[in-house]
Amino acid sequence: MVTLVAITAPVDGVIVPLGEVPDPVFAEATLGDGVAIDPLGDTLCTPFDGEVVQCARSAHAVTIRHACGVELLVHLGLDTVHLEGAGIEMLVAVGQRVHEGEPLLRFEPDRLAREAMSLITPLIVVEPGGWRIDSRRGDRGERVRRGDTLLILEVAAQAATGPSRDTGPARERDVTLALESGLHARPAARLRAIAAEHAVELDVLAGERSADTRSLSSLMNLGLVNGDRVRLIARGENAEAALVAAGQLLESPEGGSHGGDVSRPLAQAGAGQWAGRVASPGLAVGPVVRYAPPLPEVPADGAGAAAETAALRDALAAVRVDLEDGMTRAERERHSSEAEILTAHLAWLDDPALAEAAERYIAAGRSAGQAWREALDDEAERLRATGNELLAGRVNDLRDLQRRVMACFGTPPVGPDIPEGAIVLADDLTPSQLIALAAARPAGLCLAAGGTTSHVAILARARNLPCLVALGPTLHEAAGEPVEAAILDAEHGLFEPRPSRERLTAVRERVEARRRRQESERETAHARAVTRDGRSIEVCANVAGAEEAELAAGEGADGIGLLRSEFLFLERDSAPDEEEQRREYQAALDALNGKPVIVRTLDIGADKQLPYLSLPAAPNPALGVRGIRLWRSQPELLDTQLRALVGVEPLDALRIMLPMVSDADEVRAVRRRLNELASELGLSATPSLGVMVEVPSAALCAASLAAEADFLSIGTNDLTQYTLAMDREDPDLAEQLDVLHPAVLRLIQATVKGAAGRCPVGVCGAAASDPLALTVLVALGIDELSVEPARVPAVKAALRELDAGALAEVLPDWLALDDGGAVRERLTAWLEARAAA
């Protein structure tokens, strides 16, 4: 008997094939087969019904067992085990029954993006046998929604029980764990592999608890940490050899993770290659330049304690001014990561312990510059000695501050000229050195030391600058003689200084194709998107707050088509007050500098709930109190939000959008209240008021809605759900839930026709980013598309290649087809024919 098991996406995100995950433990299927997803949300949900059988001590991983016995590891990010749970909240417990779609763990995306290697989240089937992948969803880069089916497994009935145990003579060995992060998924997988390689049964005993190495969840549930004493028991002809290999793994500090030892590579280097860790992904080809700036030269001996102490204090004050100026500049240019790092440097500068240490060296006869050097050398050594990778990663910040202050007492060294497009090799970099190097526009960076959690790594990622770290002390050999064309593969963790001609040609073609496409798209991203037949389409951005609004502005968005205000209300104990909301909305308007910003009023209910708001129980929450319907029972929430909104400037750039509107009466009621509040505040004008078209009644009554509203915006996700009567959270329906279903397209067409001559119509749902669907939307008469910020340049470029009028001529016949698949087939063929013409 065979059971089919559907594994669904635990979060909205982008598919990453397992083989392309920048960690060989996952990419080489050491843990097992599966898929990975780059998350676009902050909560991982259950991918199928089952029982939680393992929760990582550091909260970064959960294992769930299906009723048929198969186990799935959901592993948040890469190298997240070293964060020890910081920025992650576990929402389930071992033994708990969970249903598909229930939250498993919540995390802080910004923090993990800064402090972990990557947010790429693998989903791994960790059972060793009894199953196979029947089908696998999508290609690299495909966007998926939470609940979309990623994998379908065929599971044989015997998978739950597994093979019989070897009952032969046992060999034993006692070991003490030296794994920095304990027995987590990676070393557990290696133990299982050792047992398989030696064809033995291998158990781990810890006190009265034991685990069979065939079960990763059992191993991880032992909760073993560095220093724990365990007994290994092996049965089989090669038991002694297996015990030796297992003992070496567990007793080696490097065995547990490549994160504790930053020099451990992520990939196996071939001949002529250096393997390192990916700090910032990308691909580059260019000449190699060595960068090794010395510290400024300063006098060793001082001219007296009083004079040197005064000189040091003057230098610290001058550096403070420089740092504050840099922070102001970074904030003005919206380099938030750089501003945060300079803030950290200011904190070092204000640390009284550093100044006191330097003054002690001055008292011993050192000059101010030399005293500062030695004081910070001591502090750097202390940080390294902690053994904490995160603290050790801050040594570069300390070196940066050391260099800044010493430069006040001597001539700063002149670094080598860095030609544009070069691959820069260095032992390590300070943040300010990286900022200076980035201005020279290098192709990429290769560092002998460093870590993926350092500020240098953060800055490299913020600048889309490919960067490898921890390449090892032999990296200098790559610069031993001139290298005109090296390959930096910061996708697989390899630096290749002398590639073959064929390899170089192939990589150059890939780099050039990417560069041309992205450069072309970005060059015109701030221009209007005009189709081949002359239609101008606004391309705006969907954002969750002011920070993403800034990103959208930089990507060339024509405005904000959807600011999801509910993110202000989530993950807190009480609703945000009027002033907090106003600041966030104002910051979004400021970021767009006069371009329109559409703020959707609070859309809570169905799949989004507030712990401080008691909503009535409903058999089907998706059809219950949500969106604008909430106003009747919670008027104070909407009143506070409306007051905050009308407090921004300029009001003519603000648009207010109401979710889940069913009829015109709801719009009229809110407009009356908006006018009342504006009058109370002494305002003579109010912002534009619009409606989200998400339910069939709104689409069919678009004319009456357009008579009351200033604009309409179609939420295709919900409109598709309600039109097809298919829960978009149900993975079994994911394949049928298609926005190109003729019924959905007819409702979109009805919306456009109903609003014609009355108000514009946009689309802020996922279909606006779908390369196929967006062409149909525009051909149906949509005026504006709102997409994720990073998609703005590509969507604008696609629109400029579209003849919307020609497509509109053939659409009527397609609206009579049977299903969305038929529409997609016709549309694909039509677009390919037009491209070939």
Side-chain angles (χ1 to χ4, degrees):
M1 180 179 176
V2 172
T3 300
L4 295 181
V5 177
I7 296 174
T8 64
V11 65
D12 291 358
V14 178
I15 288 179
V16 179
L18 204 60
E20 295 185 24
V21 172
D23 184 332
V25 173
F26 295 108
E28 297 168 10
T30 303
L31 286 167
D33 202 356
V35 69
I37 186 169
D38 200 353
L40 299 176
D42 64 359
T43 303
L44 298 185
C45 297
T46 310
F48 55 57
D49 292 355
E51 179 185 0
V52 177
V53 294
Q54 181 266 333
C55 294
R57 177 180 55 84
S58 49
H60 71 290
V62 184
T63 305
I64 305 165
R65 180 183 295 143
H66 192 273
C68 69
V70 92
E71 293 184 0
L72 183 78
L73 172 68
V74 181
H75 193 285
L76 172 63
L78 307 179
D79 264 0
T80 43
V81 63
H82 308 297
L83 301 182
E84 292 295 332
I88 310 172
E89 179 186 4
M90 183 66 68
L91 303 176
V92 294
V94 172
Q96 181 177 335
R97 295 289 304 173
V98 290
H99 298 285
E100 194 277 333
E102 290 184 9
L104 288 175
L105 57 86
R106 189 174 291 116
F107 59 96
E108 300 174 27
D110 290 344
R111 179 171 185 174
L112 266 64
R114 292 193 303 268
E115 298 182 359
M117 174 187 159
S118 171
L119 278 177
I120 291 175
T121 295
L123 280 69
I124 306 297
V125 185
V126 294
E127 284 294 315
W131 58 272
R132 73 176 186 87
I133 294 178
D134 179 71
S135 63
R136 193 188 303 262
R137 169 73 178 266
D139 299 318
R140 182 184 188 277
E142 180 181 349
R143 176 75 177 271
V144 293
R145 295 174 299 178
R146 214 258 4 118
D148 287 352
T149 299
L150 299 179
L151 301 173
I152 295 181
L153 307 180
E154 278 189 6
V155 185
Q158 65 268 25
T161 58
S164 60
R165 297 281 289 169
D166 189 325
T167 57
R171 298 289 184 92
E172 298 181 0
R173 178 174 179 172
D174 291 333
V175 300
T176 300
L177 265 67
L179 310 178
E180 291 90 343
S181 298
L183 188 59
H184 58 98
R186 185 177 291 109
R190 281 297 303 139
L191 278 178
R192 185 175 70 181
I194 287 170
E197 289 164 6
H198 292 86
V200 301
E201 302 290 348
L202 181 61
D203 291 334
V204 179
L205 273 67
E208 297 181 357
R209 298 169 297 149
S210 66
D212 176 1
T213 55
R214 292 179 300 181
S215 172
L216 294 187
S217 60
S218 295
L219 283 171
M220 292 186 287
N221 271 336
L222 291 175
L224 299 176
V225 298
N226 187 10
D228 280 353
R229 187 79 173 167
V230 299
R231 174 165 296 179
L232 301 175
I233 302 176
R235 295 178 178 86
E237 291 184 2
N238 300 315
E240 192 60 39
L243 289 176
V244 171
Q248 289 175 344
L249 172 75
L250 298 180
E251 292 179 323
S252 167
E254 296 78 31
S257 92
H258 58 258
D261 174 8
V262 297
S263 66
R264 180 168 174 170
L266 281 177
Q268 293 298 317
Q273 293 179 326
W274 275 259
R277 302 177 66 201
V278 176
S280 179
L283 187 66
V285 172
V288 172
V289 174
R290 179 79 179 169
Y291 181 73
L295 285 171
E297 292 187 7
V298 296
D301 299 328
E308 297 296 338
T309 298
L312 177 61
R313 291 174 181 173
D314 288 345
L316 296 179
V319 170
R320 164 174 282 283
V321 172
D322 288 343
L323 289 174
E324 289 173 343
D325 289 346
M327 285 175 56
T328 301
R329 183 173 57 254
E331 289 168 352
R332 183 174 62 247
E333 296 173 359
R334 294 171 181 161
H335 292 160
S336 58
S337 296
E338 183 176 326
E340 290 173 4
I341 291 167
L342 293 176
T343 301
H345 287 189
L346 276 171
W348 281 114
L349 198 68
D350 289 336
D351 186 343
L354 290 181
E356 290 169 3
E359 289 175 6
R360 285 195 294 272
Y361 277 113
I362 287 175
R366 309 291 199 280
S367 71
Q370 182 66 20
W372 184 255
R373 174 178 186 165
E374 294 185 34
L376 269 69
D377 281 347
D378 293 345
E379 181 66 11
E381 185 58 36
R382 187 187 68 79
L383 289 178
R384 285 199 188 94
T386 64
N388 184 304
E389 183 185 359
L390 292 176
L391 292 178
R394 299 300 175 253
V395 167
N396 274 348
D397 297 305
L398 206 62
R399 293 298 188 196
D400 202 352
L401 194 59
Q402 183 183 47
R403 186 179 306 276
R404 285 178 182 270
V405 176
M406 289 179 67
C408 297
F409 303 101
T411 303
V414 177
D417 290 333
I418 303 297
E420 182 175 344
I423 295 174
V424 178
L425 271 58
D427 289 330
D428 211 341
L429 292 174
T430 66
S432 64
Q433 288 169 351
L434 184 138
I435 293 168
L437 283 173
R441 301 175 64 84
L445 304 174
C446 292
L447 305 183
T452 60
T453 62
S454 70
H455 280 155
V456 167
I458 295 168
L459 289 171
R461 288 193 290 268
R463 286 159 173 73
N464 292 320
L465 185 62
C467 178
L468 292 181
V469 297
L471 284 152
T474 61
L475 179 63
H476 68 277
E477 296 173 9
E481 57 185 81
V483 177
E484 295 183 359
I487 294 173
L488 168 57
D489 185 351
E491 293 173 349
H492 298 94
L494 292 171
F495 172 57
E496 195 170 350
R498 293 176 181 80
S500 67
R501 187 183 302 274
E502 295 77 14
R503 168 105 169 115
L504 191 60
T505 299
V507 174
R508 274 180 167 156
E509 289 175 354
R510 288 169 57 197
V511 171
E512 181 60 20
R514 289 185 189 183
R515 186 197 63 78
R516 285 198 305 265
R517 185 184 72 249
Q518 293 172 355
E519 185 176 89
S520 175
E521 292 171 352
R522 292 186 66 84
E523 280 180 354
T524 58
H526 290 269
R528 301 286 296 178
V530 180
T531 65
R532 285 185 177 273
D533 57 321
R535 284 191 55 203
S536 180
I537 307 298
E538 284 191 356
V539 180
C540 298
N542 298 332
V543 302
E547 186 173 347
E548 289 188 10
E550 293 180 0
L551 176 61
E555 293 290 346
D558 297 323
I560 299 301
L562 169 63
L563 190 156
R564 305 177 182 95
S565 69
E566 60 270 16
F567 282 88
L568 271 170
F569 293 77
L570 295 170
E571 298 182 13
R572 53 191 301 154
D573 297 326
S574 60
D577 61 23
E578 179 181 330
E579 180 57 27
E580 182 180 353
Q581 291 189 57
R582 190 200 64 77
R583 286 197 303 269
E584 184 72 13
Y585 306 143
Q586 185 64 59
L589 263 70
D590 291 345
L592 271 295
N593 195 28
K595 293 179 180 178
V597 173
I598 297 176
V599 178
R600 181 175 67 189
T601 58
L602 182 60
D603 186 15
I604 290 295
D607 58 330
K608 297 188 288 288
Q609 298 290 334
L610 300 178
Y612 51 86
L613 186 65
S614 297
L615 296 180
N620 189 337
L623 300 179
V625 176
R626 58 168 296 197
I628 193 59
R629 301 169 186 175
L630 186 65
W631 184 54
R632 296 183 184 277
S633 61
Q634 305 287 338
E636 69 284 353
L637 278 178
L638 185 61
D639 275 3
T640 301
Q641 186 168 33
L642 292 179
R643 285 194 185 94
L645 286 165
V646 298
V648 302
E649 295 177 347
L651 268 181
D652 59 1
L654 176 67
R655 314 280 190 269
I656 298 175
M657 183 162 64
L658 308 177
M660 284 300 291
V661 170
S662 300
D663 55 54
D665 278 344
E666 292 171 320
V667 185
R668 283 190 284 266
V670 175
R671 190 179 290 280
R672 282 195 300 269
R673 186 56 182 152
L674 184 61
N675 289 335
E676 291 168 359
L677 293 174
S679 178
E680 291 173 9
L681 297 171
L683 300 173
S684 58
T686 58
S688 297
L689 185 64
V691 167
M692 281 197 77
V693 176
E694 300 172 274
V695 298
S697 66
L700 294 172
C701 297
S704 62
L705 286 176
E708 297 293 337
D710 299 308
F711 64 92
L712 305 181
S713 185
I714 301 172
T716 51
N717 302 353
D718 272 329
L719 183 62
T720 304
Q721 166 179 251
Y722 293 126
T723 301
L724 301 181
M726 293 180 181
D727 187 347
R728 62 190 178 107
E729 302 297 323
D730 189 334
D732 294 331
L733 301 175
E735 295 300 324
Q736 299 168 260
L737 201 69
D738 192 344
V739 70
L740 291 184
H741 191 289
V744 181
L745 295 180
R746 289 176 201 173
L747 286 176
I748 295 173
Q749 182 184 56
T751 303
V752 173
K753 288 183 176 179
R758 295 179 174 87
C759 71
V761 180
V763 170
C764 59
S769 293
D770 184 321
L772 285 179
L774 70 86
T775 63
V776 175
L777 295 173
V778 174
L780 286 172
I782 293 298
D783 303 296
E784 175 253 343
L785 300 173
S786 192
V787 302
E788 299 306 311
R791 287 281 295 152
V792 169
V795 168
K796 284 190 172 184
L799 289 173
R800 296 184 184 113
E801 297 300 316
L802 174 66
D803 187 335
L807 181 55
E809 292 178 2
V810 299
L811 267 182
D813 291 340
W814 298 357
L815 298 187
L817 294 173
D818 293 339
D819 54 39
V823 175
R824 287 184 180 275
E825 184 177 339
R826 295 283 187 93
L827 177 59
T828 300
W830 187 88
L831 290 172
E832 289 176 350
R834 299 288 295 190

